[in-house]
């Protein structure tokens, strides 16, 4: 993951939490991320959401061993 990609992901998560409201901002970051991804997927029809999830899992499995975490671990 490039530094630009990391920065964009962190910015997107912070922006999402700030727009949803104070209750979202007080949740752990992993919950915020889950909520953001769920809301993104709900913008697509179920078949497309399933295709996205399949691709995400494939990409994550292929790339996660090279990625240095930038957010704290889940609580």
């Amino acid at each position: 993951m490039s530094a630009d990609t990391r920065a964009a992901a962190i910015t997107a998560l912070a922006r999402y939490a700030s727009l949803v409201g104070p209750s979202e901002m007080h949740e752990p970051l992993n919950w915020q991320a889950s909520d953001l991804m769920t809301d993104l997927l709900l913008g697509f029809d179920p078949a497309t959401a399933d295709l996205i999830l399949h691709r995400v899992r494939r990409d994550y499995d292929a790339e996660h061993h090279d990625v240095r975490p930038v957010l704290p671990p889940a609580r």
Side-chain angles (χ1 to χ4, degrees):
M1 179 186 313
S2 72
D4 289 342
T5 302
R6 270 194 294 279
I10 291 169
T11 299
L13 183 57
R15 180 74 173 138
Y16 169 81
S18 72
L19 288 173
V20 172
S23 62
E24 186 74 27
M25 293 184 340
H26 294 298
E27 288 185 345
L29 288 174
N30 60 308
W31 290 10
Q32 292 175 15
S34 176
D35 292 347
L36 170 58
M37 288 187 266
T38 299
D39 288 346
L40 283 170
L41 289 171
L42 287 171
F44 296 91
D45 63 88
T48 302
D50 285 341
L51 290 171
I52 293 167
L53 284 170
H54 174 76
R55 182 172 180 203
V56 166
R57 173 47 81 182
R58 183 196 67 207
D59 292 349
Y60 178 80
D61 288 345
E63 297 178 20
H64 80 278
H65 64 277
D66 293 331
V67 176
R68 178 178 47 89
V70 296
L71 297 172
R75 293 187 247 173

